[in-house]
Amino acid sequence: MLPSRESGCKGTNYLGVKSYERGVISSALTFFMKQSAKNSQLPTLISQLFCTFGPEMRKELSILIPMYNADPRPTVKELCRQAQTIKDLDFELIVIDDGSTDKALVEQCWEISQWPNCRFMALEENIGRARIRNLLCSMARKEWLLYLDCDMTIFDPGFIINYLLAGGDVVYGGYKVGEAPKNNLRYRYEKANEHMHTAEQRRLRPYQHFHTANFLVRRSIMVEHPFDEQFRTYGYEDVLFGKQLKQAGINITHIANPAGFFTFEDNPHFVSKTEEGLRTLHDKRQQLRGYSQMLTAVEGIHIAPVRWLICLWHWLFGWLERRILCSKHPSLRIFKLYKLGYFLTIANKR
């Protein structure tokens, strides 16, 4: 555990800085970091000043990026640039490709291993979202782990320092939705729910509003509470991880330190991923009860004929709904109806 500069001070976290003071410090640091484009020496100077006069910062960091059919190199470059400007930060960055089908991209990404403090590894077969993150943890050698999805964009020049200053053993920074064509279903879905991504909203239900795309965790916690490797298919491994943390009495600290969600798959791929996620949800429904809005909605339908009518509607019109969702004119209302009918149909079949 990092030492504290103060003790017994009300409102002070374990890093020795009051939460509101930490917020002011982080905001000030981010402002000055944004000016670094005008002066290449400014980030290093700011880091030195904060290490000398500011609060205690984390001194070790393993940045862990699971890769699958997306190029992580722009994100890796920016993370390395930021980390290298932070005085006395002992860091490493590890990227593991989880059996991508784009072998040309994998071959190009081997250059990451030539960059300072970086390692790249490629798996022949896909081992799943949970297991790949556990593998990254086993390879990490630093006290703190920063997990980032490979398709996230780092747009804040103070991104890493914000995490180094944040209090808590598990810290989730959230994500910011970028821009995309209005006919992209994933974009429309994320944009409609953007108000739920703020730190203030996430704190209302801290364990349900947790995602693995951008979070910091103490390595010992990941070793004691690994991701459930029975989650081989897409979806909900992060939801179960949040539930495990709650059961263990481990708090999740929510801060405003978003990574950019700027890449959106096309409509057919998003619909297919949604269907895969719903199948995963049904398979793991006992473990996820109370942590899924879909499960809560379905369990709230107590009248059997109503469930039967929804399934009948899906049997008759589900193909048409799917066609609309995959077209250039998707509808979020139809998307909600399609998900409900798809899930209930799975439940009835099994």
Side-chain angles (χ1 to χ4, degrees):
M1 181 176 290
L2 295 173
S4 172
R5 289 194 173 188
E6 323 174 12
S7 61
C9 180
K10 184 178 180 181
T12 301
N13 59 36
Y14 76 100
L15 283 175
V17 180
K18 294 179 181 178
S19 57
Y20 73 88
E21 292 174 346
R22 183 174 300 282
V24 171
I25 291 169
S26 180
S27 298
L29 181 58
T30 300
F31 170 79
F32 285 113
M33 292 291 283
K34 288 179 179 179
Q35 311 306 313
S36 64
K38 303 175 184 179
N39 185 342
S40 61
Q41 300 301 316
L42 191 55
T44 302
L45 175 60
I46 292 171
S47 176
Q48 291 173 345
L49 287 173
F50 271 78
C51 287
T52 302
F53 301 106
E56 291 283 349
M57 292 195 298
R58 296 173 172 90
K59 300 298 185 183
E60 295 185 7
L61 185 65
S62 293
I63 304 171
L64 308 177
I65 303 178
M67 168 185 165
Y68 185 75
N69 285 338
D71 191 350
R73 288 174 294 176
T75 297
V76 170
K77 288 179 181 178
E78 175 59 19
L79 291 168
C80 286
R81 186 196 68 78
Q82 290 190 22
Q84 288 167 356
T85 65
I86 300 173
K87 185 176 182 290
D88 297 330
L89 176 63
D90 180 14
F91 82 96
E92 63 178 353
L93 191 149
I94 306 172
V95 179
I96 301 182
D97 175 70
D98 192 13
S100 290
T101 57
D102 189 344
K103 300 304 180 184
L105 174 61
V106 175
E107 190 64 27
Q108 295 170 8
C109 287
W110 277 103
E111 69 171 311
I112 293 173
S113 290
Q114 306 301 317
W115 301 346
N117 301 82
C118 294
R119 283 184 282 166
F120 180 80
M121 175 180 172
L123 305 180
E124 291 296 326
E125 297 182 357
N126 183 279
I127 62 175
R129 294 168 59 86
R131 191 175 172 191
I132 191 68
R133 285 164 174 80
N134 290 341
L135 178 59
L136 282 161
C137 175
S138 70
M139 296 182 63
R141 295 294 177 262
K142 310 305 178 184
E143 181 182 3
W144 293 94
L145 312 180
L146 173 57
Y147 281 93
L148 278 166
D149 282 0
C150 65
D151 56 354
M152 303 303 278
T153 300
I154 307 303
F155 60 90
D156 185 347
F159 178 79
I160 289 183
I161 279 205
N162 289 339
Y163 269 130
L164 297 179
L165 285 169
D169 287 331
V170 182
V171 187
Y172 176 48
Y175 63 92
K176 176 181 175 61
V177 180
E179 295 299 323
K182 306 303 182 191
N183 60 6
N184 183 279
L185 180 60
R186 180 65 183 271
Y187 166 74
R188 294 184 65 178
Y189 174 77
E190 296 293 347
K191 204 67 177 177
N193 292 280
E194 190 173 28
H195 65 283
M196 299 299 296
H197 303 325
T198 65
E200 292 76 12
Q201 285 295 319
R202 287 186 269 117
R203 289 175 190 137
L204 298 178
R205 302 183 72 194
Y207 297 98
Q208 286 84 350
H209 291 299
F210 171 81
H211 301 283
T212 59
N214 170 28
F215 78 103
L216 181 80
V217 59
R218 190 184 290 274
R219 186 178 185 277
S220 60
I221 289 179
M222 281 304 305
V223 172
E224 294 171 10
H225 305 280
F227 288 101
D228 186 343
E229 295 187 3
Q230 293 182 9
F231 281 69
R232 295 294 304 274
T233 54
Y234 174 79
Y236 294 96
E237 79 288 340
D238 48 0
V239 178
L240 182 59
F241 182 69
K243 179 180 178 180
Q244 292 172 341
L245 294 179
K246 183 177 182 179
Q247 292 175 335
I250 299 171
N251 292 328
I252 298 177
T253 301
H254 287 267
I255 66 171
N257 193 35
F261 184 17
F262 298 163
T263 303
F264 305 90
E265 63 268 68
D266 60 33
N267 294 350
H269 280 94
F270 180 53
V271 173
S272 295
K273 284 175 64 175
T274 300
E275 292 168 342
E276 184 179 2
L278 290 171
R279 294 192 294 271
T280 300
L281 176 62
H282 182 266
D283 290 340
K284 309 297 182 183
R285 61 191 181 280
Q286 298 300 330
Q287 297 166 271
L288 295 169
R289 183 166 282 110
Y291 285 77
S292 162
Q293 291 183 351
M294 176 62 73
L295 286 178
T296 301
V298 168
E299 291 174 353
I301 304 175
H302 301 293
I303 304 175
V306 174
R307 297 168 69 102
W308 183 83
L309 283 174
I310 294 173
C311 289
L312 176 63
W313 176 274
H314 188 78
W315 183 73
L316 291 172
F317 301 109
W319 64 273
L320 179 59
E321 292 173 340
R322 196 180 197 282
R323 177 178 291 184
I324 293 172
L325 295 174
C326 293
S327 73
K328 295 183 179 180
H329 305 284
S331 163
L332 291 180
R333 289 185 178 180
I334 292 178
F335 186 51
K336 292 179 180 179
L337 181 60
Y338 180 79
K339 289 194 297 181
L340 180 60
Y342 188 93
F343 186 83
L344 283 174
T345 301
I346 295 172
N348 284 351
K349 285 182 178 180
R350 300 184 184 182

